[in-house]
Every structure is written in structure tokens, then in C-alpha cells.
Amino acid sequence: FRNLLGRALRMRNYNIIVTGANGETATEVITSFLNNGDTVIGLSSGNKHNNIKHNQYIHFQTDILTIDKLKISFNTIFEQNIQIHGLINIAGGFTMGQNIEGDISNEWERMYQVNFISALNCISLVIRHMKDYNFGRIINFGSSSALEGMAGAGPYIISKACVHALTKTMAKELDDYDI
């Protein structure tokens, strides 16, 4: 996984933003980049901190679902006059047990928010910055199940399918940039 991620970004000694920084996957990704000499800015929404202690790691507690709060965090980062080379959207959630038939639960909206809107918000803010430098890499964590479908996991699958569509759309919109 680490080699794959490193090859995908083709980066060393760069500045990377990682969302969902308190999760296990994000902690591994952050640690891998730090071990390669990169600077990592971790974003998380909860009070829990991943306890990574490293002089090239900065942690922001922010609400990535509320664009105005997220703008404050991103502006604080951008005011440091550092180029952001990569954004890795790991933040998200998972749920099972909701079929399409029957009453629609709040899980549909929750999964849409935590999986799709969180990625959209971060991307919309970092793209402007990356375009200024004509460079950047964005990795969105999707799900292979979103490509095939999965019974009993409708809210999750549909929200991750939105992430896949976002990624493809973003690639076409940024075709003229090295993003």
C-alpha cells in the first residue's frame, strides 16, 4: 500500500494534506509520508488526536463538512506561504443494513456528507492553490464496491460512487494543469 501510494504521488519532500487524520488508515499514510521526509498537515473533525509527534507534522481540528470553518483552516495553511503538493481525502464513514427498498433513513444523508461532501469541500479549496503553482496531486479514497454495487450498503455505496464521479470530473476539469 505504501509503495503504491508513493508511486501514485511520485513525491518526496513535499507538503501533503491528509483528511481523516485520526483514523487508522490516515495515521499509516501520514507516518509513511513523514518517514520519507515529507511535511504532513492532518485534518480531523474530532477531539481525539492521532498522537503523531513529529516536527514535520501539523494537526488541525476542523469541520470539513462546514465549508466556512474549513476555509479558515485552509487559509491558515495557505498564509504560511507553503506550496501544497498533495491532498489525500481519507475522511469518510461506512454503514451497513440499509436497503433501497423501505423507509429511507438518515444514513443516506450522513454517508453523502461524510464521504462525498467532505471530499468536495477540501478539493474545491485546494484546487485554487494548486492551480496557482500549476501542480498538485489529489487522491480520493473510494471503494471498489461502489463500482459493482453491494446489497445492504446503499448509502455507503452510492456516496462512494459520487466520490468516483467527482474524481473523474475533476481530472477532466484540470486537464490543462499538472493536477
Side-chain angles (χ1 to χ4, degrees):
F1 176 74
R2 290 179 193 174
N3 289 337
L4 176 65
L5 195 57
R7 282 195 313 261
L9 287 172
R10 295 183 184 156
M11 296 184 180
R12 293 295 172 260
N13 300 312
Y14 284 83
N15 304 310
I16 313 294
I17 296 175
V18 177
T19 69
N22 289 341
E24 289 180 30
T25 301
T27 299
E28 288 296 317
V29 169
I30 291 167
T31 301
S32 179
F33 279 103
L34 290 172
N35 288 340
N36 285 316
D38 300 312
T39 297
V40 180
I41 302 161
L43 303 179
S44 67
S45 59
N47 292 329
K48 179 185 160 201
H49 192 280
N50 60 21
N51 295 318
I52 293 176
K53 305 284 188 235
H54 195 284
N55 63 349
Q56 289 179 252
Y57 178 68
I58 303 160
H59 183 264
F60 281 90
Q61 181 181 342
T62 189
D63 182 357
I64 62 177
L65 297 177
T66 306
I67 193 71
D68 291 334
K69 291 180 181 177
L70 188 61
K71 278 181 185 177
I72 293 168
S73 297
F74 271 80
N75 286 338
T76 301
I77 295 166
F78 298 151
E79 287 169 0
Q80 302 306 308
N81 292 319
I82 60 170
Q83 180 180 357
I84 300 303
H85 302 95
L87 168 66
I88 305 175
N89 280 312
I90 300 175
F94 177 77
T95 188
M96 286 285 298
Q98 176 72 52
N99 291 323
I100 294 172
E101 179 184 0
D103 293 333
I104 302 299
S105 73
N106 291 337
E107 286 302 299
W108 287 90
E109 180 64 25
R110 188 176 81 81
M111 287 292 100
Y112 179 75
Q113 290 288 323
V114 300
N115 289 322
F116 175 69
I117 295 298
S118 64
L120 177 63
N121 284 349
C122 292
I123 291 167
S124 70
L125 294 174
V126 81
I127 280 178
R128 295 177 200 136
H129 176 81
M130 289 178 172
K131 285 173 89 173
D132 287 344
Y133 289 93
N134 202 39
F135 179 83
R137 299 292 181 261
I138 299 172
I139 295 176
N140 296 317
F141 272 48
S143 169
S144 60
S145 297
L147 301 174
E148 301 295 323
M150 186 169 128
Y156 172 75
I157 297 302
I158 300 300
S159 68
K160 286 298 188 175
C162 290
V163 173
H164 287 282
L166 171 64
T167 303
K168 290 175 183 178
T169 301
M170 176 185 65
K172 292 196 182 295
E173 288 184 2
L174 299 172
D175 193 39
D176 293 338
Y177 300 89
D178 193 13
I179 301 173

